[in-house]
Amino acid sequence: MAGAVAAGRVGVAGVKPGDTVVDLMPGGGYFTRIFSKVVGPKGHVYAYQPTFQDAFFKKGAPVDAIAADPAYKNVSVIHKPLKDFATPTKVDVVWTSQNYPDIHNLPGWPAIIKAMNKGIYNSLNPGGVYIVLDHRAKAGTGTADTHTLHRIDPAVVKTEVEAAGFKYAGESDVLANPKDDHSLIVFNPKIRHHTDQFIYKFEKPKM
């Protein structure tokens, strides 16, 4: 079941063999591993580990170990600030899962978000896509619940990403849950792993 759900999530991004993908804020590298196998030996995965998170991993980020594993030779790690987002080569997909609200909790987040999204735009090939998967907050709440509930109003994401030049290309309801009333923190046992989540797809216009 877990594998099917993961496949459904990744399928929204349209990742295919030979693609170059960025797993932004990869955490334990769950999706990094999946993307590595999907893109295959002719593709590449950049695990973008923001420097503010480096201190959380006292023995090194998990994705550093993944990149050192011969089974994941097509993975490399980028350690840079979010505001300086850039990749060594142009990429086809940038993916971030359950991270976007947390960026709004960083000091000086408006400037960070603006610079990060523009950096993502500049790093993508024309026609490339940017996927944001996250926990939905109540409509109209904006960023009010990013710190307390780790949720965000999808309308905020859309506004911020489009401001960087992206075109909204649709969404998937594969992780929607109408039984979630959006009032609980996402780690609450009553709702954990069953929150109402949105998956937004944005595209860099083709030249």
Side-chain angles (χ1 to χ4, degrees):
M1 180 63 177
V5 172
R9 295 174 182 174
V10 172
V12 174
V15 177
K16 60 187 184 299
D19 278 353
T20 300
V21 179
V22 177
D23 188 7
L24 175 58
M25 298 177 69
Y30 177 78
F31 286 109
T32 302
R33 293 183 179 90
I34 293 174
F35 288 134
S36 172
K37 299 307 179 184
V38 173
V39 303
K42 294 184 178 180
H44 197 81
V45 179
Y46 293 114
Y48 197 105
Q49 174 68 40
T51 50
F52 83 90
Q53 286 189 328
D54 285 340
F56 298 160
F57 303 108
K58 295 181 180 180
K59 296 183 179 180
V63 286
D64 287 318
I66 293 172
D69 186 336
Y72 297 97
K73 292 188 292 185
N74 60 354
V75 173
S76 57
V77 184
I78 299 173
H79 291 271
K80 293 180 70 172
L82 289 174
K83 66 180 181 62
D84 297 326
F85 187 99
T87 53
T89 63
K90 292 292 186 179
V91 303
D92 301 297
V93 177
V94 175
W95 165 281
T96 189
S97 174
Q98 300 177 351
N99 297 305
Y100 206 89
D102 297 325
I103 302 171
H104 289 75
N105 300 329
L106 297 173
W109 68 260
I112 293 172
I113 287 283
K114 182 178 180 179
M116 179 191 76
N117 285 335
K118 194 61 180 178
I120 291 171
Y121 183 91
N122 292 337
S123 296
L124 280 164
N125 286 311
V129 299
Y130 177 19
I131 304 293
V132 180
L133 183 162
D134 235 299
H135 306 282
R136 189 185 298 269
K138 291 180 180 179
T141 56
T143 60
D145 296 327
T146 59
H147 183 70
T148 55
L149 304 182
H150 293 271
R151 297 174 181 264
I152 192 166
D153 184 344
V156 171
V157 177
K158 187 177 180 183
T159 296
E160 292 177 346
V161 174
E162 288 183 330
F166 285 96
K167 300 298 182 183
Y168 175 71
E171 65 181 291
S172 170
D173 62 358
V174 68
L175 297 178
N177 180 9
K179 295 181 180 180
D180 179 4
D181 69 3
H182 311 111
S183 65
L184 298 176
I185 188 170
V186 300
F187 309 116
N188 188 302
K190 294 180 180 180
I191 198 66
R192 190 170 191 178
H193 305 307
H194 299 286
T195 56
D196 183 20
Q197 298 177 55
F198 62 93
I199 307 176
Y200 274 10
K201 182 177 183 178
F202 301 93
E203 183 175 303
K204 179 177 180 175
K206 297 178 182 179
M207 303 301 182

